[in-house]
Amino acid sequence: MKEINKEPLPKGGNLTDDIIEVELLAPARNAEVAVAAINHGADAVYMGASSHGARQQASNSISDIRGVVEYAHRFGVKVYVTVNTIIYDEELAGVEKLVWELYGIGVDALIVQDMALLEMKLPPIALHASTQCDIRTPEKARFLQDAGFSQLVLPRELSADEIRKFREAVDVPLEAFVHGALCVSYSGDCQASFIATGRSANRGECAQICRYAFDLEDETGRKLVRGKHLLSLKDMNRLDYLSDMLEAGVSSFKIEGRLKDAAYVKNVVAAYSRALDRIVSANPRHFRRASRGRVEYGFEPDVAKSFNRGFTSYFLKGGNPAAGSLASVDSPKWTGERIGVVKRVVSDRIMDADLDSPLENGDGLGFFNDAGVYCGFRLNRVDGSRLFAASDIEVRPGMELYRNFDKKWSDVLASGKSARRYIPLSMLLRKAGGMLVLELCDGRGHDVAASVEFECQPAKSPQAEARQRVLSKLGDTEFALDKLTDLLGDVFVPASVLTTLRRDAVAALSATYQAAYKCDYRRGAVRGLRLPQGFMVSRHDNIANRLSEKFYRNIGADADGGMPRAVEVELPGEARIRVMQTRYCLRRELGCCLKTENASRLPAKLYLATATDRFRLQFDCAACRMNVYSLRSSKG
């Protein structure tokens, strides 16, 4: 990992004595996954509340979130809660009540989309602008900062050079995705699911239209490509580009996946935490981790072993990606790592294979059948190169096999031995007059001492080892003894006295953490806030309630005409509705970019079709974007 020596330091982040605090932000579908993320190295976790999170299937009760907050804050880990769907008028009071409840249990910030929250009577809880706010320009970023947002979640589509321009425009921390599933459309500006199925992505109900199999057709309906997942992007993986992102001005590194299980989160968090630790260790004058604690891993993290559709760094390095580099057109599923090839078929459940590495009973394998469809099966038994499937499968010699479930590796992740997080302590044991004193230091600026009156008596045998055994018994806390400096010499101290001293010192340190915990409070809005110059409010701003409309009117939106409403509350009447805008270009992916000599390989007018829907593609070459239009104007 390269060393970062560039000056001056980028603005933003949580600056402490000119050192930027680097935050690894992990997803959590529930409290169990949140704790797993913390234990495997996260500096912050984000999770859904009981309602209005952009993943409807990942909601959590106030009680469960409270437990996560209490555990997280022991390590200085932040807890962010997503309230990032659009809100209907009849829901405004309930959302306001929910925010007060979240503030009351110590949640550090809310990740939000709907501007209605800026008009509510809320506690001073920090608000982060969700990627659903569609922050495509530095001007939009500055506007949201001035409106009172404390952290901005950038679009996934930005390059490092573009991020630098955002960094120059704002002072608040910038948060950017580094790993996980990619939405093909700019987040917050996708109405495809709602128009096609009635399930709104902006309400946490996305039907994932982009993962469908499509036919690519010309204007007459002639099929140019059949049954391919033409909008299904590979997964993001920026593990090798964290230094570039830090240099560009990102301080919060976000892993996507609030629907993922604990094993996925453990593995991916561990991989990114170790990578960030290497950067921080190489650049101690510039960076430090935002939370405290050390993690010891019982496995070797490998992001390739967790669910993925193949990897891409997306547009981080700028330019136009090569043909075939962004999408996973053959399957929206995880095919896994290539493990070998079928050599001989013995029966419907038995085959011989040439293997690249050994397999285990219970491994999950898959293959592409003759129709190009990915099929999976579980191994019941392995005998060298002979494989016994748990169900009937139709394979033939020459078919490649992929492993998407590594039983042995997964068992380690499922055990309680995959990671241990603790805060290493230095202890100093000494005498001071008639007092016995134990000092604790955590290496992050927190020092405490506990003392007890005690008259030391000479010991008949060496005592240092026995004292260390007693003082190191920290198993029921988040602490672990790293170094003990024992200045008592050969005197006898009963174990009960040392135990009391240790407990009092640890309690004092825990109390210090609570007293010194830095809460993030909501930024005040800039007086006289106005819409950015040239900014026109449209239905793509997802105005769905009276308070959001009030916000935009107060800052200069046209008050004479009708305020454009989100499609969820006011369906447009035009025959063609733009349901996606994406930096991904299907022509470029297929090697037929209109700016190249290969453009003529595809006709000018292209359509995506399923059995029930047809979408017109429009290519904006000046902006290097693709627009997707639905050819029907009503749901169903």
Side-chain angles (χ1 to χ4, degrees), residues 449-512:
S451 60
V452 62
E453 291 186 6
F454 185 77
E455 185 176 343
C456 296
Q457 300 294 329
K460 297 179 180 179
S461 59
Q463 295 291 302
E465 186 175 330
R467 287 195 290 264
Q468 177 154 335
R469 280 199 302 271
V470 175
L471 294 176
S472 65
K473 290 182 178 180
L474 296 160
D476 58 344
T477 72
E478 64 267 36
F479 304 105
L481 177 60
D482 188 46
K483 179 183 178 182
L484 173 63
T485 301
D486 187 343
L487 302 180
L488 293 188
D490 287 332
V491 298
F492 175 73
V493 180
S496 59
V497 173
L498 292 172
T499 297
T500 298
L501 200 59
R502 182 197 71 223
R503 288 176 177 168
D504 290 349
V506 167
L509 184 55
S510 296
T512 298

Side-chain angles (χ1 to χ4, degrees), residues 85-262:
T85 67
I86 58 174
I87 305 165
Y88 295 153
D89 274 320
E90 63 271 19
E91 299 168 339
L92 292 170
V95 170
E96 186 173 302
K97 179 176 180 291
L98 174 65
V99 172
W100 278 98
E101 291 176 338
L102 293 169
Y103 175 74
I105 62 173
V107 166
D108 294 281
L110 304 180
I111 302 173
V112 305
Q113 172 189 185
D114 201 311
M115 296 299 118
L117 281 95
L118 300 180
E119 295 292 328
M120 292 179 181
K121 295 179 181 179
L122 298 184
I125 191 169
L127 300 180
H128 294 182
S130 169
T131 190
Q132 296 292 115
C133 290
D134 191 13
I135 315 171
R136 292 192 213 181
T137 65
E139 293 76 19
K140 179 77 173 286
R142 181 72 190 193
F143 166 71
L144 290 170
Q145 172 185 283
D146 291 347
F149 287 97
S150 305
Q151 188 155 301
L152 308 179
V153 189
L154 299 179
R156 296 165 171 89
E157 292 83 358
L158 297 180
S159 69
D161 287 340
E162 288 168 328
I163 292 172
R164 288 187 181 90
K165 296 176 182 177
F166 282 71
R167 177 72 285 146
E168 293 167 359
V170 300
D171 299 309
V172 296
L174 296 180
E175 177 182 320
F177 284 94
V178 291
H179 199 92
L182 283 164
C183 293
V184 69
S185 177
Y186 281 91
S187 296
D189 191 16
C190 181
Q191 290 84 38
S193 177
F194 181 76
I195 295 298
T197 71
R199 293 169 52 186
S200 169
N202 282 308
R203 293 281 292 175
E205 302 169 335
C206 182
Q208 294 193 313
I209 301 297
C210 55
R211 303 298 179 189
Y212 283 15
F214 291 98
D215 294 332
L216 182 66
E217 300 178 346
D218 67 7
E219 191 172 13
T220 68
R222 180 170 61 98
K223 297 187 186 305
L224 309 171
V225 177
R226 293 178 180 269
K228 293 293 184 180
H229 303 271
L230 297 172
L231 296 179
S232 181
L233 298 184
K234 295 178 181 177
D235 285 5
M236 179 184 286
N237 179 353
R238 292 177 172 174
L239 195 56
D240 294 331
Y241 300 102
L242 300 181
S243 292
D244 300 280
M245 296 179 73
L246 273 166
E247 287 178 338
V250 174
S251 59
S252 180
F253 297 84
K254 187 171 193 172
I255 297 167
E256 183 277 338
R258 281 197 295 122
L259 296 180
K260 295 294 195 299
D261 61 19

Side-chain angles (χ1 to χ4, degrees), residues 40 57 185 227 313 319 372 437 450 464 483 528 551 567:
H40 287 73
Q57 298 174 45
S185 177
S313 61
V437 180
K483 179 183 178 182
F551 169 80
V567 298

Side-chain angles (χ1 to χ4, degrees), residues 403-442:
R403 178 168 61 185
N404 57 17
F405 181 74
D406 186 329
K407 177 68 163 55
K408 185 175 181 180
W409 187 81
S410 297
D411 283 347
V412 174
L413 280 177
S415 73
K417 300 178 181 179
S418 58
R420 172 179 176 245
R421 182 166 183 166
Y422 61 92
I423 299 170
L425 297 180
S426 295
M427 294 186 180
L428 173 63
L429 184 62
R430 60 183 177 87
K431 292 181 289 185
M435 308 293 290
L436 194 60
V437 180
L438 179 64
E439 298 178 9
L440 304 186
C441 174
D442 70 352

